[in-house]
Amino acid sequence: MNSFFKKKATKILGTILVALILGAIIAGIAHSGSTPLSSVAVTIMKPFQQVSTFIGSGVDYFCDYFRSSDTLQKENAQLKQQIADYQGELADYENTKRTLKTYEEFLGVKEEHPDFKFISASILSRDASDAFGSIILSKGSSKGVKVNDPVIYGKNLVGVVTDVNATSCTVTTFSSPKFNAAVYEVRSNVMGYVTGFENGAGKKYCKLPGLDKDCNLATGGVICTLGIGGVFPKNLIVGTVSEINKSKTDISNYAKVESNVDLAEIKDVFIITEFNGQGITQ
Amino acid sequence: MESGTFYNENKANQLRRIKLAVVVFVTFLLQNNSSLFIRPTDVPVMLLVPLIVCIGMFEREKWGMFFGLFAGILVDAFSAESLCFHSIALTCIGFLSGLLITGIFRNNLKTCLLFSSVSIFVYNTVYFLLYYVSAAGIEADYIYINIYFASVIYTFLFVGVFYVIVRAICSKKKD
Protein backbone atom coordinates (compact mmCIF):
# COMPACT_ATOMS: atom_id res chain seq x y z
CA MET A 1 0.00 0.00 0.00
CA ASN A 2 2.83 2.37 0.89
CA SER A 3 4.46 1.68 -2.44
CA PHE A 4 1.25 2.69 -4.16
CA PHE A 5 1.26 6.11 -2.55
CA LYS A 6 4.96 6.53 -3.17
CA LYS A 7 4.58 6.02 -6.90
CA LYS A 8 5.18 9.10 -9.00
CA ALA A 9 1.95 8.64 -10.91
CA THR A 10 -0.06 8.59 -7.69
CA LYS A 11 1.50 11.85 -6.56
CA ILE A 12 0.74 13.45 -9.90
CA LEU A 13 -2.85 12.19 -9.70
CA GLY A 14 -3.22 13.69 -6.23
CA THR A 15 -1.89 17.04 -7.43
CA ILE A 16 -4.21 17.09 -10.42
CA LEU A 17 -7.25 16.22 -8.32
CA VAL A 18 -6.45 18.93 -5.77
CA ALA A 19 -6.02 21.48 -8.57
CA LEU A 20 -9.31 20.49 -10.18
CA ILE A 21 -11.20 20.63 -6.91
CA LEU A 22 -9.71 24.05 -6.16
CA GLY A 23 -10.79 25.23 -9.61
CA ALA A 24 -14.30 23.98 -8.94
CA ILE A 25 -14.38 25.80 -5.60
CA ILE A 26 -13.18 29.02 -7.25
CA ALA A 27 -15.86 28.69 -9.94
CA GLY A 28 -18.49 28.02 -7.29
CA ILE A 29 -17.49 31.04 -5.21
CA ALA A 30 -17.31 33.30 -8.25
CA HIS A 31 -20.75 32.00 -9.43
CA SER A 32 -19.31 31.84 -12.93
CA GLY A 33 -20.21 28.18 -13.45
CA SER A 34 -16.88 27.41 -15.13
CA THR A 35 -13.37 26.92 -13.89
CA PRO A 36 -10.42 28.92 -15.26
CA LEU A 37 -9.23 25.81 -17.11
CA SER A 38 -12.63 25.35 -18.73
CA SER A 39 -12.66 28.98 -19.81
CA VAL A 40 -9.30 28.54 -21.54
CA ALA A 41 -10.47 25.28 -23.13
CA VAL A 42 -13.65 26.94 -24.46
CA THR A 43 -11.61 29.72 -26.05
CA ILE A 44 -9.30 27.26 -27.77
CA MET A 45 -11.98 24.77 -28.74
CA LYS A 46 -14.63 27.17 -29.96
CA PRO A 47 -13.51 27.32 -33.61
CA PHE A 48 -13.27 23.53 -33.80
CA GLN A 49 -16.72 23.19 -32.27
CA GLN A 50 -18.10 25.64 -34.82
CA VAL A 51 -16.53 23.69 -37.67
CA SER A 52 -17.97 20.41 -36.38
CA THR A 53 -21.42 22.02 -36.04
CA PHE A 54 -21.12 23.29 -39.61
CA ILE A 55 -20.13 19.82 -40.82
CA GLY A 56 -22.98 18.30 -38.81
CA SER A 57 -25.48 20.63 -40.50
CA GLY A 58 -24.12 19.54 -43.85
CA VAL A 59 -24.51 15.88 -42.92
CA ASP A 60 -28.10 16.50 -41.77
CA TYR A 61 -28.86 18.27 -45.05
CA PHE A 62 -27.33 15.41 -47.04
CA CYS A 63 -29.20 12.77 -45.05
CA ASP A 64 -32.52 14.48 -45.72
CA TYR A 65 -32.32 13.26 -49.32
CA PHE A 66 -32.57 9.67 -48.10
CA ARG A 67 -35.56 10.08 -45.84
CA SER A 68 -38.55 8.12 -46.97
CA SER A 69 -41.05 9.90 -49.19
CA ASP A 70 -43.81 8.85 -46.81
CA THR A 71 -42.19 10.77 -43.98
CA LEU A 72 -41.72 13.79 -46.18
CA GLN A 73 -45.30 13.66 -47.43
CA LYS A 74 -46.66 13.59 -43.89
CA GLU A 75 -44.38 16.43 -42.89
CA ASN A 76 -45.45 18.37 -45.96
CA ALA A 77 -49.13 17.92 -45.13
CA GLN A 78 -48.52 19.02 -41.54
CA LEU A 79 -46.65 22.10 -42.65
CA LYS A 80 -49.35 23.03 -45.14
CA GLN A 81 -51.96 22.78 -42.38
CA GLN A 82 -49.79 24.95 -40.15
CA ILE A 83 -49.47 27.55 -42.88
CA ALA A 84 -53.23 27.57 -43.38
CA ASP A 85 -53.73 28.04 -39.62
CA TYR A 86 -51.20 30.86 -39.52
CA GLN A 87 -52.82 32.55 -42.50
CA GLY A 88 -56.16 32.42 -40.70
CA GLU A 89 -54.56 33.93 -37.61
CA LEU A 90 -52.88 36.59 -39.70
CA ALA A 91 -56.19 37.53 -41.32
CA ASP A 92 -57.79 37.75 -37.86
CA TYR A 93 -54.91 39.88 -36.67
CA GLU A 94 -55.22 42.26 -39.60
CA ASN A 95 -58.98 42.56 -39.06
CA THR A 96 -58.48 43.21 -35.38
CA LYS A 97 -55.81 45.79 -36.10
CA ARG A 98 -58.05 47.58 -38.55
CA THR A 99 -60.99 47.52 -36.17
CA LEU A 100 -58.80 48.83 -33.38
CA LYS A 101 -57.63 51.71 -35.56
CA THR A 102 -61.20 52.54 -36.41
CA TYR A 103 -62.20 52.52 -32.77
CA GLU A 104 -59.23 54.64 -31.82
CA GLU A 105 -60.38 57.31 -34.25
CA PHE A 106 -63.92 56.88 -33.05
CA LEU A 107 -62.73 57.52 -29.49
CA GLY A 108 -61.08 60.77 -30.60
CA VAL A 109 -64.28 61.96 -32.24
CA LYS A 110 -66.38 60.95 -29.24
CA GLU A 111 -64.13 62.88 -26.90
CA GLU A 112 -64.40 65.98 -29.06
CA HIS A 113 -68.14 65.63 -29.56
CA PRO A 114 -69.72 64.07 -26.51
CA ASP A 115 -73.19 64.81 -27.90
CA PHE A 116 -72.69 62.43 -30.87
CA LYS A 117 -74.39 59.07 -30.83
CA PHE A 118 -72.74 56.56 -33.14
CA ILE A 119 -73.21 53.10 -34.34
CA SER A 120 -70.50 51.22 -36.17
CA ALA A 121 -71.24 49.60 -39.50
CA SER A 122 -69.23 47.60 -41.94
CA ILE A 123 -69.38 48.07 -45.65
CA LEU A 124 -71.35 45.19 -47.11
CA SER A 125 -70.84 46.12 -50.71
CA ARG A 126 -70.18 48.91 -53.10
CA ASP A 127 -72.80 49.77 -55.64
CA ALA A 128 -71.15 48.61 -58.84
CA SER A 129 -73.68 50.43 -60.97
CA ASP A 130 -72.97 53.75 -59.31
CA ALA A 131 -69.91 55.44 -60.76
CA PHE A 132 -69.69 57.76 -57.78
CA GLY A 133 -69.03 55.14 -55.15
CA SER A 134 -72.27 54.58 -53.24
CA ILE A 135 -71.85 52.07 -50.46
CA ILE A 136 -74.17 49.68 -48.66
CA LEU A 137 -73.71 49.43 -44.89
CA SER A 138 -74.62 46.63 -42.50
CA LYS A 139 -76.93 48.56 -40.19
CA GLY A 140 -80.48 49.71 -40.84
CA SER A 141 -83.55 51.15 -39.22
CA SER A 142 -83.63 48.35 -36.66
CA LYS A 143 -80.49 49.90 -35.18
CA GLY A 144 -81.78 53.44 -35.31
CA VAL A 145 -80.37 54.50 -38.69
CA LYS A 146 -82.47 56.96 -40.63
CA VAL A 147 -82.23 58.90 -43.88
CA ASN A 148 -79.89 61.91 -43.74
CA ASP A 149 -77.72 60.47 -40.99
CA PRO A 150 -74.10 61.49 -41.66
CA VAL A 151 -71.53 58.76 -42.12
CA ILE A 152 -67.95 59.30 -40.95
CA TYR A 153 -64.59 57.54 -40.88
CA GLY A 154 -62.72 58.88 -37.90
CA LYS A 155 -63.09 62.65 -38.14
CA ASN A 156 -63.61 62.53 -41.90
CA LEU A 157 -66.94 62.80 -43.63
CA VAL A 158 -67.75 59.88 -45.91
CA GLY A 159 -71.30 60.66 -46.99
CA VAL A 160 -74.92 60.66 -45.97
CA VAL A 161 -77.55 57.93 -45.64
CA THR A 162 -79.99 58.21 -48.51
CA ASP A 163 -81.86 54.96 -48.29
CA VAL A 164 -82.69 52.74 -45.31
CA ASN A 165 -84.26 49.40 -44.75
CA ALA A 166 -84.43 47.25 -41.67
CA THR A 167 -80.97 45.75 -41.77
CA SER A 168 -78.96 47.88 -44.17
CA CYS A 169 -78.70 51.33 -45.63
CA THR A 170 -77.30 53.03 -48.71
CA VAL A 171 -74.86 55.88 -48.39
CA THR A 172 -74.25 58.53 -51.02
CA THR A 173 -70.64 59.53 -50.71
CA PHE A 174 -69.05 62.95 -51.02
CA SER A 175 -67.82 62.16 -54.54
CA SER A 176 -71.37 61.93 -55.90
CA PRO A 177 -72.94 64.95 -57.66
CA LYS A 178 -76.11 64.14 -55.68
CA PHE A 179 -74.23 64.97 -52.47
CA ASN A 180 -74.30 68.47 -50.97
CA ALA A 181 -72.84 69.75 -47.72
CA ALA A 182 -72.31 73.32 -46.47
CA VAL A 183 -68.64 73.81 -45.68
CA TYR A 184 -66.00 76.37 -44.81
CA GLU A 185 -62.24 76.60 -44.99
CA VAL A 186 -60.79 76.75 -41.48
CA ARG A 187 -58.10 79.39 -42.10
CA SER A 188 -59.68 81.78 -44.54
CA ASN A 189 -63.28 81.14 -43.43
CA VAL A 190 -64.40 80.98 -47.07
CA MET A 191 -67.83 79.37 -47.10
CA GLY A 192 -69.58 77.36 -49.76
CA TYR A 193 -70.84 73.88 -50.43
CA VAL A 194 -69.21 70.71 -51.70
CA THR A 195 -70.58 68.29 -54.21
CA GLY A 196 -69.22 65.56 -56.43
CA PHE A 197 -67.79 65.92 -59.89
CA GLU A 198 -70.26 65.16 -62.67
CA ASN A 199 -67.57 63.68 -64.81
CA GLY A 200 -66.40 61.38 -61.99
CA ALA A 201 -62.99 62.84 -61.12
CA GLY A 202 -62.36 59.94 -58.81
CA LYS A 203 -63.77 58.56 -55.62
CA LYS A 204 -61.42 60.62 -53.44
CA TYR A 205 -62.49 64.02 -54.77
CA CYS A 206 -65.30 66.50 -54.55
CA LYS A 207 -65.56 70.12 -55.60
CA LEU A 208 -66.22 73.42 -53.89
CA PRO A 209 -67.77 75.54 -56.68
CA GLY A 210 -68.86 79.15 -56.92
CA LEU A 211 -65.69 80.74 -55.61
CA ASP A 212 -64.92 84.39 -56.32
CA LYS A 213 -61.81 85.05 -58.26
CA ASP A 214 -60.32 87.06 -55.42
CA CYS A 215 -61.23 84.75 -52.57
CA ASN A 216 -58.55 83.83 -50.05
CA LEU A 217 -58.77 80.10 -50.55
CA ALA A 218 -55.41 78.46 -51.22
CA THR A 219 -54.25 74.93 -51.90
CA GLY A 220 -53.71 72.94 -48.71
CA GLY A 221 -56.64 74.59 -46.98
CA VAL A 222 -58.73 72.29 -44.79
CA ILE A 223 -62.43 72.09 -45.65
CA CYS A 224 -64.87 71.28 -42.83
CA THR A 225 -68.63 71.07 -42.54
CA LEU A 226 -70.34 74.28 -41.50
CA GLY A 227 -73.06 72.67 -39.38
CA ILE A 228 -76.00 74.56 -40.87
CA GLY A 229 -78.86 72.71 -42.53
CA GLY A 230 -79.34 70.21 -39.71
CA VAL A 231 -77.82 67.28 -41.64
CA PHE A 232 -74.11 67.41 -40.79
CA PRO A 233 -72.65 68.48 -37.46
CA LYS A 234 -70.02 71.21 -37.54
CA ASN A 235 -66.33 70.58 -38.15
CA LEU A 236 -66.36 67.19 -39.79
CA ILE A 237 -63.36 67.16 -42.13
CA VAL A 238 -64.28 66.92 -45.80
CA GLY A 239 -60.76 67.15 -47.23
CA THR A 240 -57.99 69.51 -48.29
CA VAL A 241 -57.86 71.81 -51.28
CA SER A 242 -55.65 70.24 -53.93
CA GLU A 243 -56.32 72.56 -56.87
CA ILE A 244 -58.20 75.77 -57.71
CA ASN A 245 -59.44 75.95 -61.29
CA LYS A 246 -61.68 78.09 -63.43
CA SER A 247 -65.17 76.81 -63.93
CA LYS A 248 -66.06 75.87 -67.50
CA THR A 249 -69.70 76.84 -67.15
CA ASP A 250 -69.44 80.31 -65.61
CA ILE A 251 -66.94 82.95 -64.53
CA SER A 252 -66.37 81.57 -61.03
CA ASN A 253 -63.62 79.30 -59.77
CA TYR A 254 -63.90 75.99 -58.05
CA ALA A 255 -61.65 74.15 -55.67
CA LYS A 256 -60.85 70.48 -56.08
CA VAL A 257 -61.04 68.96 -52.60
CA GLU A 258 -59.20 65.75 -51.88
CA SER A 259 -60.58 63.62 -49.08
CA ASN A 260 -58.38 61.82 -46.56
CA VAL A 261 -60.64 58.81 -46.97
CA ASP A 262 -60.03 56.33 -49.75
CA LEU A 263 -63.48 54.87 -50.35
CA ALA A 264 -61.98 51.81 -52.03
CA GLU A 265 -59.93 50.89 -48.96
CA ILE A 266 -62.18 51.47 -45.93
CA LYS A 267 -64.10 48.52 -44.48
CA ASP A 268 -65.79 49.98 -41.36
CA VAL A 269 -67.46 53.35 -40.77
CA PHE A 270 -69.62 55.06 -38.14
CA ILE A 271 -73.13 56.38 -38.60
CA ILE A 272 -74.06 59.40 -36.45
CA THR A 273 -77.62 58.72 -35.43
CA GLU A 274 -77.97 61.71 -33.14
CA PHE A 275 -76.19 64.99 -32.47
CA ASN A 276 -77.01 68.40 -31.14
CA GLY A 277 -78.65 70.44 -33.86
CA GLN A 278 -79.72 67.49 -36.00
CA GLY A 279 -82.77 68.40 -38.08
CA ILE A 280 -82.58 72.09 -37.11
CA THR A 281 -82.16 74.40 -40.11
CA GLN A 282 -80.25 77.61 -39.28
CA MET B 1 24.07 4.19 -30.96
CA GLU B 2 22.32 4.08 -27.60
CA SER B 3 21.44 7.77 -27.62
CA GLY B 4 20.20 7.43 -31.19
CA THR B 5 17.97 4.54 -30.20
CA PHE B 6 16.70 6.48 -27.21
CA TYR B 7 16.03 9.51 -29.40
CA ASN B 8 14.08 7.41 -31.96
CA GLU B 9 12.10 5.71 -29.19
CA ASN B 10 11.25 9.05 -27.60
CA LYS B 11 10.19 10.45 -30.94
CA ALA B 12 8.04 7.38 -31.59
CA ASN B 13 6.38 7.80 -28.18
CA GLN B 14 5.65 11.45 -28.88
CA LEU B 15 4.18 10.64 -32.28
CA ARG B 16 2.00 7.92 -30.80
CA ARG B 17 0.70 10.24 -28.11
CA ILE B 18 -0.05 12.94 -30.64
CA LYS B 19 -2.09 10.39 -32.63
CA LEU B 20 -3.96 9.41 -29.46
CA ALA B 21 -4.62 13.07 -28.67
CA VAL B 22 -6.10 13.55 -32.13
CA VAL B 23 -8.31 10.48 -31.61
CA VAL B 24 -9.48 11.94 -28.27
CA PHE B 25 -10.18 15.26 -29.95
CA VAL B 26 -12.17 13.75 -32.83
CA THR B 27 -14.11 11.51 -30.44
CA PHE B 28 -15.01 14.54 -28.37
CA LEU B 29 -16.40 16.28 -31.47
CA LEU B 30 -18.41 13.17 -32.39
CA GLN B 31 -19.75 12.91 -28.85
CA ASN B 32 -20.77 16.55 -28.70
CA ASN B 33 -22.34 16.92 -32.12
CA SER B 34 -25.61 15.02 -32.46
CA SER B 35 -25.61 15.34 -36.25
CA LEU B 36 -22.28 13.55 -36.64
CA PHE B 37 -23.16 10.44 -34.63
CA ILE B 38 -26.29 8.28 -34.81
CA ARG B 39 -28.34 8.49 -31.62
CA PRO B 40 -31.48 6.39 -31.42
CA THR B 41 -34.19 8.21 -29.46
CA ASP B 42 -31.67 10.96 -28.56
CA VAL B 43 -29.86 8.82 -25.95
CA PRO B 44 -26.53 10.50 -25.10
CA VAL B 45 -23.38 8.52 -25.90
CA MET B 46 -20.24 8.85 -23.72
CA LEU B 47 -17.62 7.77 -26.24
CA LEU B 48 -14.72 9.29 -24.34
CA VAL B 49 -15.09 6.90 -21.39
CA PRO B 50 -14.24 3.67 -23.24
CA LEU B 51 -11.58 5.52 -25.21
CA ILE B 52 -9.82 6.68 -22.04
CA VAL B 53 -10.10 3.18 -20.59
CA CYS B 54 -8.37 1.79 -23.69
CA ILE B 55 -5.68 4.47 -23.62
CA GLY B 56 -5.08 3.85 -19.91
CA MET B 57 -4.69 0.14 -20.58
CA PHE B 58 -2.05 0.68 -23.26
CA GLU B 59 -0.29 3.77 -21.97
CA ARG B 60 -0.48 2.87 -18.27
CA GLU B 61 -1.45 5.02 -15.33
CA LYS B 62 0.55 8.23 -15.88
CA TRP B 63 -0.38 8.87 -19.50
CA GLY B 64 -3.83 7.39 -19.01
CA MET B 65 -4.35 10.03 -16.33
CA PHE B 66 -3.12 12.86 -18.62
CA PHE B 67 -5.30 11.78 -21.51
CA GLY B 68 -8.24 11.46 -19.12
CA LEU B 69 -7.58 14.99 -17.90
CA PHE B 70 -7.40 16.29 -21.47
CA ALA B 71 -10.68 14.61 -22.41
CA GLY B 72 -12.33 15.77 -19.19
CA ILE B 73 -11.33 19.39 -19.76
CA LEU B 74 -12.82 19.26 -23.26
CA VAL B 75 -16.12 17.92 -21.97
CA ASP B 76 -16.24 20.32 -19.00
CA ALA B 77 -15.61 23.30 -21.27
CA PHE B 78 -18.83 22.65 -23.16
CA SER B 79 -20.88 21.30 -20.30
CA ALA B 80 -23.52 23.41 -18.64
CA GLU B 81 -23.00 22.85 -14.95
CA SER B 82 -20.53 20.08 -14.37
CA LEU B 83 -17.82 22.07 -12.54
CA CYS B 84 -14.89 19.70 -13.16
CA PHE B 85 -16.86 16.48 -12.73
CA HIS B 86 -15.80 15.16 -16.15
CA SER B 87 -12.16 16.16 -15.61
CA ILE B 88 -11.98 14.42 -12.24
CA ALA B 89 -13.89 11.34 -13.39
CA LEU B 90 -11.98 10.77 -16.63
CA THR B 91 -8.63 11.43 -14.94
CA CYS B 92 -9.41 8.77 -12.34
CA ILE B 93 -10.70 6.34 -15.01
CA GLY B 94 -7.49 6.74 -17.03
CA PHE B 95 -5.32 6.28 -13.96
CA LEU B 96 -7.17 3.24 -12.60
CA SER B 97 -7.26 1.50 -16.00
CA GLY B 98 -3.49 1.80 -16.25
CA LEU B 99 -2.93 0.79 -12.65
CA LEU B 100 -5.06 -2.35 -12.86
CA ILE B 101 -3.34 -3.50 -16.04
CA THR B 102 0.10 -2.89 -14.49
CA GLY B 103 -0.68 -4.85 -11.35
CA ILE B 104 -3.53 -7.30 -11.79
CA PHE B 105 -5.15 -7.84 -15.18
CA ARG B 106 -4.00 -8.72 -18.66
CA ASN B 107 -4.35 -6.29 -21.51
CA ASN B 108 -6.95 -7.89 -23.76
CA LEU B 109 -10.41 -7.23 -25.16
CA LYS B 110 -12.23 -9.03 -22.35
CA THR B 111 -10.53 -6.88 -19.72
CA CYS B 112 -11.30 -3.79 -21.76
CA LEU B 113 -14.98 -4.73 -21.99
CA LEU B 114 -15.10 -5.33 -18.24
CA PHE B 115 -13.34 -2.06 -17.33
CA SER B 116 -15.37 -0.05 -19.82
CA SER B 117 -18.76 -1.38 -18.74
CA VAL B 118 -18.01 -0.66 -15.08
CA SER B 119 -16.54 2.77 -15.87
CA ILE B 120 -19.45 3.87 -18.07
CA PHE B 121 -21.98 2.63 -15.54
CA VAL B 122 -20.33 4.35 -12.59
CA TYR B 123 -19.69 7.52 -14.63
CA ASN B 124 -23.31 7.90 -15.74
CA THR B 125 -24.79 6.91 -12.41
CA VAL B 126 -22.65 9.31 -10.39
CA TYR B 127 -23.38 12.12 -12.86
CA PHE B 128 -27.11 11.42 -12.60
CA LEU B 129 -26.98 11.32 -8.80
CA LEU B 130 -25.02 14.54 -8.55
CA TYR B 131 -26.89 16.64 -11.09
CA TYR B 132 -30.30 15.21 -11.79
CA VAL B 133 -31.77 13.19 -8.97
CA SER B 134 -32.87 16.17 -6.90
CA ALA B 135 -34.20 18.06 -9.93
CA ALA B 136 -36.02 15.13 -11.51
CA GLY B 137 -38.14 14.36 -8.44
CA ILE B 138 -40.62 11.57 -8.88
CA GLU B 139 -39.56 11.05 -12.50
CA ALA B 140 -35.97 10.32 -11.50
CA ASP B 141 -36.23 6.57 -12.10
CA TYR B 142 -37.80 7.09 -15.53
CA ILE B 143 -35.05 9.52 -16.55
CA TYR B 144 -32.29 7.27 -15.24
CA ILE B 145 -33.52 4.15 -17.01
CA ASN B 146 -34.53 5.79 -20.27
CA ILE B 147 -31.59 8.13 -20.64
CA TYR B 148 -28.58 7.34 -18.45
CA PHE B 149 -28.83 3.58 -18.24
CA ALA B 150 -29.75 3.43 -21.91
CA SER B 151 -26.65 5.52 -22.58
CA VAL B 152 -24.53 2.92 -20.74
CA ILE B 153 -25.81 0.14 -22.99
CA TYR B 154 -25.49 2.16 -26.17
CA THR B 155 -21.95 3.34 -25.37
CA PHE B 156 -20.87 -0.20 -24.50
CA LEU B 157 -21.53 -1.23 -28.12
CA PHE B 158 -18.54 0.85 -29.28
CA VAL B 159 -15.94 -0.38 -26.78
CA GLY B 160 -14.52 -2.94 -29.22
CA VAL B 161 -14.06 -0.27 -31.89
CA PHE B 162 -11.96 1.93 -29.60
CA TYR B 163 -9.89 -1.03 -28.40
CA VAL B 164 -9.01 -1.89 -31.99
CA ILE B 165 -8.15 1.72 -32.85
CA VAL B 166 -5.96 2.29 -29.76
CA ARG B 167 -4.26 -1.08 -30.18
CA ALA B 168 -3.47 -0.23 -33.79
CA ILE B 169 -1.90 3.08 -32.74
CA CYS B 170 0.03 1.55 -29.83
CA SER B 171 1.06 -1.70 -31.57
CA LYS B 172 4.62 -0.60 -32.16
CA LYS B 173 5.13 0.62 -28.60
CA LYS B 174 7.96 -1.03 -26.76
CA ASP B 175 7.39 -1.56 -23.05
Side-chain angles (χ1 to χ4, degrees), chain A residues 4 7 13 42 45 52-53 60, chain B residues 25 33 35 61 65 77 99:
Chain A
F4 169 76
K7 282 176 89 165
L13 175 69
V42 165
M45 283 298 296
S52 85
T53 306
D60 270 342
Chain B
F25 184 75
N33 195 325
S35 303
E61 56 266 32
M65 178 174 56
L99 187 70

Side-chain angles (χ1 to χ4, degrees), chain A residues 96-154:
Chain A
T96 307
K97 207 168 85 164
R98 198 185 58 246
T99 307
L100 180 65
K101 186 168 180 280
T102 309
Y103 277 105
E104 274 175 356
E105 299 211 29
F106 158 77
L107 182 65
V109 174
K110 186 69 179 166
E111 282 172 351
E112 280 180 35
H113 303 278
D115 58 305
F116 286 10
K117 284 191 182 164
F118 302 92
I119 52 169
S120 67
S122 51
I123 298 175
L124 291 178
S125 65
R126 289 174 171 81
D127 190 348
S129 60
D130 182 0
F132 303 106
S134 294
I135 52 180
I136 319 288
L137 301 181
S138 60
K139 297 281 164 66
S141 54
S142 61
K143 298 288 179 186
V145 179
K146 44 195 188 303
V147 172
N148 284 341
D149 279 347
V151 176
I152 61 172
Y153 181 76

